[in-house]
Structure formats: C-alpha cells, structure tokens
Amino acid sequence: MSKKIDAALKDLKKALKKHAEVVGGSAVSLKKSQRASAKVAAAADAYAAAVQAKSGLGNPFTGMETLDDSTRASLSAERDAIKKNLTGPIDVPVRDAL
C-alpha cells in the first residue's frame, strides 16, 4: 500500500473513531459533533485525494457530499427568520362538530 494512502487511511480511522465517541455518548454536544464531523470530512477528502493521486481512480465517497456553503447559509437564514416570527402560540383552527 502507498505510504500516503496508508497515512490518509490512518487519519480517517482516527477521525471516525473520535466522531463515534462524540456522538455515541449520552449527552451529545452540538459543537463537538460538528467539529468531529468536519474532521471526518477533511480526512475523507485527504484519503480520496491520495487514492486519486496514486491510482487515478475517482472519489470512493461519491454520493455522500454535503450541502454547499451557500445552501447551508440560506437554510440557516430561513430557520432563523422562522424562529424570530414564531414567538407565541400558533393558532389552530377548530372544526365545528357535525
């Protein structure tokens, strides 16, 4: 096995193990889980780049891409707008009994 692929694989395993520890506990910290997820994504990208450089093969993780930054920002803004507007009780129409 290539030394670069072997090193990238080792980093990916380490990132996955840390991610599992963070999200597998009884209380999951959002910030810690996001940080661990980012490290997994970076390690997966590095592994894919090492594989591509050595073999010319494509990304083995194709189909597992996340949303791009602009889509994430748009969804966050929409969520925040909804949160600001929904501060009180929501009126639910009552149907008359027949």
Side-chain angles (χ1 to χ4, degrees):
M1 183 178 337
S2 161
K3 287 183 181 181
K4 289 184 180 182
I5 292 175
D6 191 38
L9 176 60
K10 183 179 178 181
D11 291 343
L12 180 56
K13 287 179 181 179
K14 182 179 175 182
L16 284 169
K17 183 173 181 172
K18 179 65 177 176
H19 184 271
E21 290 171 1
V22 169
V23 300
S26 58
V28 178
S29 165
L30 179 61
K31 285 186 180 184
K32 285 183 181 180
S33 66
Q34 289 173 334
R35 199 172 312 127
S37 293
K39 288 181 182 179
V40 168
D45 288 343
Y47 177 80
V51 168
Q52 198 281 327
K54 176 69 177 170
S55 66
L57 296 173
N59 187 341
F61 304 108
T62 298
M64 299 183 348
E65 293 84 12
T66 59
L67 299 174
D68 62 19
D69 291 337
S70 63
T71 302
R72 252 187 259 135
S74 173
L75 290 171
S76 293
E78 185 177 351
R79 179 200 59 216
D80 294 343
I82 291 170
K83 183 179 176 183
K84 285 181 183 178
N85 292 329
L86 294 178
T87 58
I90 299 172
D91 293 330
V92 179
V94 180
R95 297 176 76 184
D96 293 331
L98 295 176

